[in-house]
Amino acid sequence: MEHIRTTKVEQVKLLDRFSTNNKSLTGTLYLTATHLLFIDSGQKETWILHHHIAAVEKLALTTSGCPLVIQCKNFRIVHFIVPRERDCHDIYNSLLQLSRPVRYDELYAFSYNPKQKESEQVKGWQLIDLAEEYKRMGVPNTNWQLSDANRDYKVCETYPRDLYVPRIASKPIIVGSSKFRSKGRFPVLSYYHKDKEAAICRCSQPLSGFSARCLEDEHMLQAISKANPANRYMYVMDTRPKLNAMANRAAGKGYENEDNYSNIRFQFVGIENIHVMRSSLQKLLEVSGIRGLSVNDFLSGLENSGWLRHIKAVLDAAVVLAKAIVVENASVLVHCSDGWDRTSQVCSLGALLLDSYYRTIKGFMVLIEKDWISFGHKFSDRCCQLDGDPKEISPVFTQFLECVWNLTEQFPQAFEYNEAFLLQIHEHVHSCQFGNFLGNCQKEREELKFWRNMYHQFDRTMHPRQSVYNLIMDMNEQNKQLERDMKELEAKIKVRNKQQNAVLTKEPLQSVHPTLKTQCFKKDQPLLPGNDAIRTIEGSNTADNRYSEYMEEFSKAEPAVVSLEYGVARMTC
Amino acid sequence: MEFSELIKTAKVENVLLSCPGVPAIKGTLCITSHHLLLSSQPGGEGDQGTVELWLLIRNVDAVEKRLASSSGTITLKCKDLRVLQLEIPGMEECLNIASSIEALSSVESVMMMYPFFYRPQNMKLEQGWHPYPPHHYYQQVVAETNAWRLSSVNRDFTTCPTYPSAITVPAVVDDEALRKIARFRQGGRFPILSYYHKKNQTVMLRSGQPLMGPNKKRCQEDELLLKAALCGRARGFVIDTRSAQAAKQARMTGGGSEPKAAYLGWKRLHRPLESRGRPLQESFMKLVEACNDPSLGMDRWLSKLESSKWLSHVKAALSTACLAAQCMEREEACILVHGAEGTDTTLLVTALAQVILDPDCRTLVGFQHLLEREWIQAGHPFHLRCAHSAYSHARLKQEAPVFLLFLDCVGQLGRQFPFSLEFSECLLLALFENSYASAYGTFLCNSEKERCLCKVRETTHSLWSWLNQPNQQKKYLNPLYSYNALVIWPSVEPPSLQLWQGLFLRWIRSSQYLDEAWTEIQRLVEGSELPPRTNGAAHSQQLLPH
């Protein structure tokens, strides 16, 4: 590619990020069209996808060479020292350009264009049919119908084509309502709870300013509450802090006036906006990157970043939502400003709490497809897939994943998917799958944890050295293998018995037995990798960090991880 | 003294017991000499048969009462961090019950404690005390090397009142020299062998601080002993669990630390650990207070957690133990660990280092041996340190949760190496409870000497014999365990250290889902045709030299 000037640099040092005595690995750095590759003297490979690079920084020249710091979106930070400044400069410039594709078709790993996805993913996404999903929820039915108002994306560009609305909401009401809503995002169905006949709906803020009203919009909300036979009133949740919502009024936007809408109960839940979230994450990363961090600095840094407070706010909002539906049978309309960030978070988490289907791998993918992709979460801007406005970047989806992760920690058996799956999704720039359990019992602060495996994913020494999950996977695999063997052997014995009807009866016993033994022996083997993993414990002490090795394991394990997760499903269901 | 004198009201009807997480029960409250007993009235609303609560009164840490006109509420805050509320009809009864509990829970005399009265039917006295006495370990070491010998200089506890009768010292140092050295070390705790690292024949010693005083007094025998301990190696490290400054200051009060000039080959390393009294106990109290405060938001919770400094103590203890382990394993050097008295942080470091280094200490039985050897026999003053837990309003005297800190650190190791410890979190919890209030004599008294005087071994039951009953043992085993002969180096980075939720949040939120997951893992492992444990046993047979 035209951006690459130097493809190979030798004698590059990879610094240990946390080592206080500047420990490093020496190796060769390769630059390819899609990846940056570092192979150290021990033949360990570190692969970095260009699209994962969030920032490249060239530090001041030192005696040992020119330092190059690369920060990745998956929270990996690598610190190279390139012996010659010219090489460093070349790589720096190449990376700057390679990591900022301008057009969608330059994207390698993820884009909205499924053709560019790896074949497995294509299959995965093709499995998902949202119409099927709405059918599963129980719509259309007597109260809800499919609307063709947005068939040509005319009413709302950022909504999907197929939208579900109350049966009594006519097209003029829809169009009228959409004109009264920011970006035309009028109230539509996000999730329908079959048993309670209550719905989660989503929209954007009304253009109410200080006094404007819109009869169609009022009718729309009326229709939503009428579509719920169990409860006449509905909740309208504004996920913004009250102050932000009020400030919006000055710009002709704002929030619903309870006096104008009959049967609504309005409330704010106070999730901060994307800019606050972005700087919060920034602070968190600064803290977790400090060398020789003390426990107290870590905790106060964690607190000052406010990150866990924001995570809790999102979870709290989802719990309020789930409770309204389960306890009060009431429908809920959720919105924020544009209705594609906080609204997506709250709607999808609420549905996850309510419906165990979303706690399966397939269901989680459906959930993401539905609440995030189809309803227009701006992945490209938020995750900075293309070179864009840095102010549009925000870890909204990361927060959603982290919320889900916290739930998996609290309800280990409720989810079909595990942490590796969430990380994998984060890795492939924010898509998802997981989950199942019954809502209304989220807990409190103590139970929210710092997600070490996300933010220190590549700082291998900080992880438990033995994985319970992998062992269980192994055991599961092994059991399945043994079962298969048993069946095979039984079949063999049957065949033998038939053959040997004529022969002496002693013989089969003798001949079958040895095969059985060797089979068992073979099955012993799979355990050994587990032991190998244990062996790597040695040599890791508080000062050793082995990014490269971990990366190798991680990248190679990908296909295995996915297939294994289906194993978990069996186990936990 | 008669217990009956302390019990003003022995029985009250219609008492309502409520504690977080379980439905309230109404029933009859009885106070006996050692227990508070509440049994529900049958046939009440939501009757599920009779529910009984047996609470060891020794377990009560603080009693708080609130009186109304015709009834009163007593809040019992227990040493195992549980909080119970009793609503008692009748003001007088309430006052009587409260003062009875207060009086009974603050009985000072060891001989009046429950273990001396506890006589379960299926256990015999004197059974299970030291199933494998610690001197067996020392005999093994002595048999393997000829540089060390078992000494009975402390047979009658005169040389060092806090040491057990059998100790291991360098073979070249005779008993007479040991008596001299004992006078040169605080509390008579002369350097003795704590652990022998078979792999490279290095040793870990522990002692009290040398009594150098402002005049920099020296003791030739002490210097000879440490020289002999090196066994010809060039290097040894003295790990002092105080800061360099604190060690220097200690000279003013008669203590000090080994000067390099006098002890050739020994290098001093200072790793300040908080151990004595106040700071650690206050840290514990602050943490428990933060955990129990439901009104805290995410941010205030984090700052409370931070200001309790508990995790900093965990980190410091683990790092120091890692340092000791590293000196032995990597530097192949001998180690001497001491702080001031050598009964608190010293034991914390030596015991933790052994868990890190030695796979034998990570088994259920091996861990019990380690506790017996490095905590109980080594003279950790359990009676003083565990007199009160986190709720007590009493003036702090010698309380400090050093042992709890050790258990927390072991738990951190268990979380980082989930297959390498044969025991589960349940064992750590049981040990925590029993160290503060127990029906067994194992954690009674401050030293072997006191235990002999009180005839603990003859007249109480051992916790170990109860834990090792097959039906009990199962509870404490880690189903994922597989023998791991390697050293387990933990990460001490702050993100790797976690609050011990199983203990600190045990009574605050339900762990139902986590327990279910754990049970599922147990079930899976048991159902598995090749459970790792049998596999591990096969390994240990191959790897362990006999």
Side-chain angles (χ1 to χ4, degrees):
Chain A
M1 269 172 91
E2 70 269 31
H3 301 310
I4 299 175
R5 259 171 258 157
T6 310
T7 55
K8 183 179 172 189
V9 189
E10 298 198 30
Q11 291 295 316
V12 174
K13 279 190 198 144
L14 176 65
L15 280 195
D16 184 322
R17 185 174 160 205
F18 290 100
S19 158
T20 38
N21 51 4
N22 284 341
K23 241 175 64 144
S24 64
L25 294 164
T26 309
T28 311
L29 194 65
Y30 298 90
L31 195 58
T32 73
T34 55
H35 285 89
L36 185 69
L37 169 62
F38 178 79
I39 302 180
D40 69 24
S41 45
Q43 297 303 313
K44 293 274 158 54
E45 296 168 9
T46 306
W47 290 82
I48 296 168
L49 187 67
H50 294 328
H51 299 312
H52 273 152
I53 296 175
V56 194
E57 204 182 344
K58 217 173 67 166
L59 303 181
L61 195 67
T62 66
T63 48
S64 52
C66 190
L68 187 69
V69 181
I70 300 173
Q71 285 183 32
C72 300
K73 290 173 197 162
N74 53 9
F75 307 115
R76 174 203 283 261
I77 294 177
V78 284
H79 194 145
F80 291 116
I81 293 189
V82 184
R84 288 197 311 165
E85 200 193 358
R86 249 202 62 189
D87 291 336
C88 184
H89 191 72
D90 283 349
I91 291 180
Y92 173 73
N93 279 336
S94 304
L95 287 179
L96 268 191
Q97 277 155 346
L98 290 169
S99 64
R100 288 274 175 279
V102 183
R103 299 189 314 270
Y104 277 106
D105 57 12
E106 286 179 35
L107 287 181
Y108 165 75
F110 179 93
S111 75
Y112 285 111
N113 183 351
K115 275 178 205 159
Q116 286 172 316
K117 285 177 198 154
E118 288 151 356
S119 60
E120 272 192 15
Q121 270 180 312
V122 175
K123 261 188 236 156
W125 289 112
Q126 280 168 350
L127 284 173
I128 294 163
D129 178 358
L130 286 185
E132 198 60 38
E133 167 59 12
Y134 283 103
K135 212 190 259 172
R136 190 191 66 83
M137 290 182 211
V139 287
N141 58 19
T142 49
N143 292 318
W144 293 87
Q145 66 172 356
L146 179 65
S147 159
D148 60 356
N150 200 31
R151 197 173 15 186
D152 308 316
Y153 301 103
K154 277 208 182 112
V155 180
C156 174
E157 284 184 345
T158 54
Y159 268 176
R161 197 192 303 248
D162 297 337
L163 291 169
Y164 292 82
V165 293
R167 200 167 278 277
I168 53 172
S170 63
K171 200 163 175 184
I173 289 185
I174 292 174
V175 175
S177 167
S178 81
K179 294 209 169 106
F180 187 63
R181 293 277 169 181
S182 173
K183 305 275 195 306
R185 295 171 69 92
F186 59 94
V188 295
L189 182 77
S190 161
Y191 176 75
Y192 181 73
H193 197 287
K194 228 190 290 185
D195 298 338
K196 304 276 179 193
E197 298 183 89
I200 301 177
C201 296
R202 54 185 294 169
C203 62
S204 61
Q205 63 186 342
L207 303 173
S208 56
F210 289 101
S211 58
R213 32 189 307 194
C214 167
L215 283 178
E216 286 93 338
D217 195 57
E218 286 160 25
H219 280 303
M220 187 74 195
L221 265 64
Q222 185 84 32
I224 291 174
S225 59
K226 276 193 183 146
N228 179 354
N231 202 327
R232 276 285 158 229
Y233 60 85
M234 67 183 285
Y235 283 98
V236 176
M237 259 170 90
D238 189 328
T239 55
R240 298 167 294 183
K242 190 172 181 187
L243 216 60
N244 299 18
M246 283 168 56
N248 262 307
R249 289 211 303 209
K253 300 163 188 171
Y255 52 92
E256 290 82 358
N257 184 342
E258 257 180 306
D259 300 338
N260 296 343
Y261 296 84
S262 48
N263 303 334
I264 73 162
R265 295 192 184 173
F266 184 84
Q267 80 184 94
F268 290 106
V269 291
I271 302 173
E272 298 289 347
N273 65 21
I274 56 166
H275 312 294
V276 175
M277 300 305 188
R278 179 179 59 243
S279 66
S280 168
L281 180 63
Q282 195 53 43
K283 282 185 202 153
L284 179 77
L285 293 179
E286 274 163 24
V287 170
S288 61
I290 298 172
R291 273 189 211 175
L293 186 66
S294 78
V295 177
N296 275 358
D297 289 347
F298 173 68
L299 289 174
S300 64
L302 193 58
E303 177 181 338
N304 289 337
S305 76
W307 182 253
L308 289 180
R309 191 184 64 217
H310 299 316
I311 297 288
K312 178 167 157 55
V314 176
L315 270 173
D316 281 347
V319 173
V320 170
L321 173 71
K323 272 190 179 158
I325 291 191
V326 175
V327 181
E328 297 184 52
N329 279 9
S331 292
V332 186
L333 175 67
V334 185
H335 72 76
C336 47
S337 297
D338 288 325
W340 50 43
D341 293 317
R342 288 167 272 198
T343 302
S344 294
Q345 288 179 331
V346 174
C347 287
S348 53
L349 276 174
L352 186 83
L353 293 178
L354 292 168
D355 193 334
S356 63
Y357 174 66
Y358 298 128
R359 283 168 256 152
T360 64
I361 289 178
K362 173 89 188 293
F364 195 60
M365 297 197 282
V366 170
L367 183 67
I368 289 163
E369 183 77 16
K370 174 169 75 71
D371 271 322
W372 292 85
I373 298 175
S374 81
F375 280 111
H377 175 67
K378 303 200 288 178
F379 277 108
S380 172
D381 287 346
R382 298 289 180 259
C383 309
C384 191
Q385 286 161 348
L386 297 177
D387 200 6
D389 181 358
K391 285 213 175 103
E392 285 287 308
I393 303 173
S394 188
V396 177
F397 191 74
T398 307
Q399 282 184 326
F400 166 67
L401 289 181
E402 184 155 343
C403 290
V404 177
W405 176 79
N406 267 300
L407 295 176
T408 64
E409 285 285 293
Q410 292 177 34
F411 303 91
Q413 295 212 75
F415 289 79
E416 186 187 352
Y417 38 87
N418 64 2
E419 183 179 50
F421 179 69
L422 295 176
L423 290 175
Q424 200 56 228
I425 286 172
H426 185 261
E427 185 86 3
H428 288 288
V429 189
H430 315 309
S431 64
C432 298
Q433 81 189 108
F434 231 150
N436 74 18
F437 60 90
L438 278 176
N440 53 26
C441 44
Q442 254 62 189
K443 290 280 169 58
E444 293 136 35
R445 55 196 162 81
E446 296 101 295
E447 290 180 74
L448 291 185
K449 295 185 202 154
F450 171 72
W451 193 0
R452 178 191 58 213
N453 292 2
M454 172 72 108
Y455 302 105
H456 287 295
Q457 194 182 151
F458 299 97
D459 304 318
R460 193 171 179 235
T461 49
M462 289 189 192
H463 294 250
R465 305 288 151 56
Q466 300 170 321
S467 158
V468 176
Y469 169 72
N470 286 347
L471 179 82
I472 290 177
M473 288 292 96
D474 281 354
M475 272 171 14
N476 227 33
E477 281 295 290
Q478 220 178 311
N479 283 351
K480 274 191 229 153
Q481 185 63 41
L482 282 173
E483 271 167 31
R484 276 196 294 274
D485 288 347
M486 217 168 74
K487 277 187 195 141
E488 220 172 88
L489 286 174
E490 275 170 7
K492 268 191 194 167
I493 290 172
K494 268 186 202 158
V495 174
R496 287 253 169 179
N497 284 346
K498 274 183 198 162
Q499 286 173 350
Q500 278 154 2
N501 276 342
V503 193
L504 283 176
T505 45
K506 265 185 192 173
E507 218 179 317
L509 279 177
Q510 281 168 350
S511 59
V512 167
H513 226 86
T515 50
L516 201 123
K517 268 194 178 166
T518 52
Q519 285 279 357
C520 283
F521 238 78
K522 262 186 204 158
K523 291 321 141 203
D524 266 350
Q525 304 295 329
L527 269 187
L528 288 176
N531 293 336
D532 279 344
I534 292 169
R535 201 161 295 142
T536 59
I537 294 160
E538 162 107 272
S540 62
N541 69 19
T542 51
D544 291 341
N545 248 331
R546 296 186 295 176
Y547 304 84
S548 45
E549 185 190 287
Y550 183 57
M551 183 54 194
E552 187 191 344
E553 280 175 16
F554 197 81
S555 55
K556 278 190 183 160
E558 271 175 38
V561 169
V562 176
S563 64
L564 287 177
E565 265 143 25
Y566 286 99
V568 170
R570 284 200 164 184
M571 242 167 53
T572 50
C573 288
Chain B
M1 183 195 71
E2 287 293 323
F3 287 116
S4 55
E5 291 166 17
L6 300 176
I7 304 173
K8 291 183 185 152
T9 299
K11 191 172 160 191
V12 191
E13 303 277 353
N14 285 323
V15 174
L16 187 71
L17 166 82
S18 50
C19 56
V22 286
I25 51 172
K26 198 167 206 176
T28 311
L29 177 77
C30 297
I31 304 272
T32 71
S33 45
H34 291 107
H35 282 97
L36 179 149
L37 168 64
L38 190 127
S39 77
S40 71
Q41 289 142 347
E45 38 179 324
D47 183 27
Q48 298 142 347
T50 320
V51 187
E52 281 191 356
L53 167 90
W54 286 82
L55 181 75
L56 205 57
I57 291 184
R58 179 82 191 151
N59 192 357
V60 175
D61 203 24
V63 183
E64 286 162 19
K65 44 188 187 279
R66 222 178 37 238
L67 292 174
S69 55
S70 64
S71 71
T73 309
I74 299 181
T75 307
L76 297 179
K77 296 188 166 175
C78 302
K79 289 177 182 166
D80 61 8
L81 309 184
R82 185 160 36 157
V83 177
L84 301 171
Q85 270 201 345
L86 298 170
E87 258 176 60
I88 299 171
M91 197 157 74
E92 203 191 324
E93 279 87 350
C94 180
L95 286 172
N96 283 345
I97 293 281
S99 67
S100 309
I101 295 173
E102 265 168 356
L104 286 169
S105 65
S106 52
V107 168
E108 284 279 332
S109 158
V110 176
M111 298 298 286
M112 302 303 276
M113 304 233 167
Y114 185 55
F116 292 99
F117 299 87
Y118 180 53
R119 294 291 174 267
Q121 289 186 333
N122 55 350
M123 285 160 76
K124 281 196 214 113
L125 277 177
E126 299 188 44
Q127 178 195 35
W129 276 102
H130 312 314
Y132 310 87
H135 60 255
H136 279 196
Y137 174 78
Y138 297 127
Q139 273 165 356
Q140 244 179 331
V141 174
V142 169
E144 268 179 56
T145 66
N146 39 26
W148 297 86
R149 70 180 182 94
L150 263 176
S151 165
S152 49
V153 66
N154 201 33
R155 202 182 310 117
D156 45 6
F157 306 110
T158 47
T159 314
C160 170
T162 57
Y163 273 166
S165 52
I167 45 180
T168 313
V169 290
V172 295
V173 182
D174 60 28
D175 285 357
E176 197 43 48
L178 289 177
R179 284 191 197 100
K180 273 192 188 155
I181 300 169
R183 285 194 288 276
F184 182 65
R185 292 274 174 178
Q186 177 152 14
R189 294 175 73 92
F190 50 90
I192 58 168
L193 180 124
S194 148
Y195 170 63
Y196 173 70
H197 196 42
K198 282 182 203 141
K199 196 166 139 197
N200 53 17
Q201 292 96 44
T202 50
V203 292
M204 179 153 61
L205 308 173
R206 54 178 157 79
S207 70
Q209 64 176 342
L211 297 173
M212 294 164 55
N215 303 327
K216 299 197 184 175
K217 221 166 62 184
R218 288 173 58 169
C219 170
Q220 221 176 4
E221 287 81 4
D222 193 59
E223 288 160 23
L224 278 173
L225 187 150
L226 286 189
K227 187 166 177 245
L230 285 179
C231 296
R233 282 170 197 277
R235 271 198 309 174
F237 292 96
V238 177
I239 295 181
D240 193 324
T241 61
R242 301 163 295 178
S243 66
Q245 205 194 354
K248 213 169 185 182
Q249 273 172 359
R251 284 226 302 270
M252 304 317 292
T253 50
S257 199
E258 294 79 358
K260 231 188 286 177
Y263 296 87
L264 285 178
W266 287 89
K267 194 174 174 239
R268 242 173 33 221
L269 302 169
H270 292 278
R271 286 292 179 278
L273 291 182
E274 211 66 74
S275 75
R276 301 257 346 265
R278 283 226 123 102
L280 196 61
Q281 178 73 11
E282 274 168 9
S283 162
F284 179 39
M285 292 165 87
K286 271 190 197 164
L287 175 62
V288 171
E289 193 192 316
C291 291
N292 281 316
D293 185 349
S295 66
L296 291 181
M298 196 70 217
D299 280 2
R300 288 196 40 231
W301 156 248
L302 283 173
S303 56
K304 288 264 179 173
L305 182 61
E306 180 201 338
S307 71
S308 80
K309 296 208 181 81
W310 181 260
L311 286 174
S312 305
H313 296 312
V314 170
K315 178 178 164 154
L318 271 174
S319 328
T320 311
C322 285
L323 176 77
Q326 213 173 349
C327 288
M328 295 183 80
E329 169 80 13
R330 294 280 166 81
E331 307 289 323
E332 310 213 327
C334 296
I335 304 278
L336 168 67
V337 184
H338 71 72
E341 288 97 339
T343 54
D344 295 285
T345 41
T346 305
L347 303 180
L348 179 64
V349 173
T350 58
L352 213 45
Q354 293 182 46
V355 178
I356 292 169
L357 286 171
D358 188 354
D360 294 341
C361 293
R362 296 179 221 137
T363 62
L364 183 64
V365 172
F367 190 64
Q368 293 173 17
H369 291 180
L370 178 76
L371 293 180
E372 187 71 39
R373 210 170 67 227
E374 289 296 302
W375 286 94
I376 298 167
Q377 302 247 342
H380 177 66
F382 278 100
H383 185 72
L384 292 172
R385 297 288 180 262
C386 301
H388 289 290
S389 170
Y391 293 121
S392 173
H393 305 301
R395 206 167 56 84
L396 289 182
K397 282 179 273 181
Q398 299 245 25
E399 293 83 359
V402 189
F403 186 62
L404 169 62
L405 185 59
F406 168 72
L407 295 177
D408 196 338
C409 291
V410 174
Q412 304 281 354
L413 286 173
R415 241 162 284 146
Q416 295 193 23
F417 299 90
F419 310 154
S420 296
L421 303 183
E422 199 193 14
F423 44 90
S424 66
E425 188 190 14
C426 288
L427 179 75
L428 302 178
L429 287 172
L431 289 170
F432 162 70
E433 283 172 12
N434 280 285
S435 66
Y436 277 90
S438 177
Y440 303 94
T442 300
F443 291 110
L444 286 182
C445 302
N446 294 311
S447 63
E448 272 309 285
K449 185 184 176 182
E450 288 181 18
R451 264 169 229 127
C452 281
L453 286 174
C454 296
K455 295 200 168 59
V456 167
R457 211 166 299 162
E458 291 81 24
T459 49
T460 72
H461 289 282
S462 160
L463 176 66
W464 308 137
S465 60
W466 178 63
L467 286 182
N468 291 329
Q469 288 168 356
N471 57 343
Q472 284 295 324
Q473 215 176 26
K474 197 164 164 263
K475 265 202 296 206
Y476 303 114
L477 285 171
N478 172 8
L480 302 171
Y481 174 70
S482 118
Y483 182 83
N484 172 9
L486 301 165
V487 178
I488 51 172
W489 299 109
S491 159
V492 295
E493 296 291 338
S496 306
L497 301 177
Q498 291 172 3
L499 178 71
W500 185 4
Q501 302 202 1
L503 174 72
F504 293 109
L505 305 180
R506 185 177 176 191
W507 309 106
I508 294 161
R509 59 100 215 257
S510 137
S511 59
Q512 184 198 344
Y513 298 100
L514 300 176
D515 295 343
E516 279 172 9
W518 184 245
T519 317
E520 179 68 16
I521 289 178
Q522 269 176 327
R523 198 188 63 73
L524 266 173
V525 173
E526 271 161 26
S528 171
E529 298 232 357
L530 292 169
R533 192 157 342 105
T534 52
N535 203 40
H539 273 259
S540 64
Q541 274 163 16
Q542 288 159 19
L543 293 171
L544 274 183
H546 285 284

